[in-house]
Amino acid sequence: MSAEPRINDRIRVPEVRLVGPSGEQVGIVPLAKALELAQEYDLDLVEVAATARPPVCKLMDYGKFKYESAMKAREARKNQAHTVIKEMKLRPKIDPHDYDTKKGHVVRFLKQGDKVKITIMFRGREQSRPELGYRLLQRLAEDVQELGFVESNPKQDGRNMIMVLGPHKKKTEAMAEAREAQAARKAERQGIPHLDQSPDVSAEEPAEA
């Protein structure tokens, strides 16, 4: 079935509850009268509530209405923030340099407003020392606690141990901040002073007599 509402002569009822072009209530009128008014206003008669008794119809420019609705839906999709779950894999006996590198990635993900799934991979005899993985996950959570929180506590999953970190900052906030930072960098490259940078007028002040 089509999701499009019925308009004009596709409406097949003896009478309708009519709403005027400015939202005013006209009342219940015969369909023929409603169509006549639509022609007078050079508008369409659009069925907006088909299940009402009688159906509710409104006088409007249906082409303009469809265009504006499509633009609003497009803008909503553009601004919609999709939560992304990033994944970072570590070994229980990771060396300090690798740990700092992995932590840097986690920090970046959380700053972007994304969740991070941390996976500790055990191999061979390491499987008998799950406490090593647990302590590593605790350490990482403490190191990034200003940016994220433990959304899912560490738990064993076969040979792996998994923890999920959630960002304190919402995705929409992170996206807005990223856009502002990008605009600031662009302005700086073009030599445009920032709003909080006032010109130095000390050299222009006249010396006291």
Side-chain angles (χ1 to χ4, degrees):
M1 294 179 63
S2 173
E4 293 283 330
R6 292 185 294 184
I7 65 172
N8 300 326
D9 54 5
R10 290 191 305 185
I11 301 172
R12 304 289 187 181
V13 290
E15 58 184 16
V16 299
R17 184 179 297 277
L18 187 63
V19 179
S22 300
E24 69 276 14
Q25 297 290 331
V26 178
I28 298 175
V29 299
L31 176 62
K33 177 64 176 177
L35 290 170
E36 182 182 326
L37 288 173
Q39 288 184 339
E40 287 181 12
Y41 282 106
D42 193 22
L43 295 172
D44 298 298
L45 181 67
V46 182
E47 189 177 59
V48 295
T51 57
R53 292 293 179 267
V56 179
C57 294
K58 184 176 180 180
L59 297 174
M60 68 171 76
D61 183 336
Y62 187 58
K64 181 180 177 182
F65 170 76
K66 283 187 67 176
Y67 174 78
E68 291 178 349
S69 297
M71 289 299 100
K72 288 179 181 178
R74 180 180 177 183
E75 190 66 22
R77 288 194 298 270
K78 180 180 176 182
N79 296 328
Q80 187 176 10
H82 297 283
T83 301
V84 177
I85 299 181
K86 304 289 188 177
E87 185 170 12
M88 187 59 55
K89 295 181 179 180
L90 291 76
R91 295 294 306 282
K93 295 181 180 180
I94 189 171
D95 68 65
H97 176 73
D98 285 344
Y99 174 80
D100 289 339
T101 300
K102 299 280 189 178
K103 184 181 72 174
H105 292 312
V106 173
V107 166
R108 178 164 54 87
F109 294 148
L110 292 173
K111 282 183 176 180
Q112 293 172 352
D114 295 322
K115 296 182 181 182
V116 189
K117 176 184 175 183
I118 313 295
T119 302
I120 304 293
M121 302 180 296
F122 297 97
R123 293 179 182 173
R125 296 181 180 179
E126 292 174 348
Q127 296 180 58
S128 63
R129 300 289 303 280
E131 68 277 6
L132 295 177
Y134 185 80
R135 284 201 295 265
L136 182 58
L137 291 175
Q138 282 189 313
R139 174 189 171 189
L140 181 59
E142 291 174 2
D143 286 348
V144 300
Q145 60 183 340
E146 293 184 1
L147 298 170
F149 63 96
V150 178
E151 186 174 285
S152 178
N153 288 317
K155 62 181 179 181
Q156 197 77 26
D157 182 17
R159 295 184 177 184
N160 301 328
M161 183 174 287
I162 296 172
M163 176 181 74
V164 177
L165 296 173
H168 291 311
K169 188 183 300 181
K170 293 182 179 179
K171 184 74 172 179
T172 49
E173 295 173 359
M175 290 171 63
E177 289 183 6
R179 285 195 295 267
E180 290 177 6
Q182 184 178 14
R185 289 193 297 270
K186 182 177 180 181
E188 186 176 350
R189 287 196 299 270
Q190 295 174 347
I192 302 174
H194 197 268
L195 293 177
D196 60 1
Q197 293 179 344
S198 55
D200 185 3
V201 297
S202 58
E204 301 175 5
E205 294 179 359
E208 294 184 2

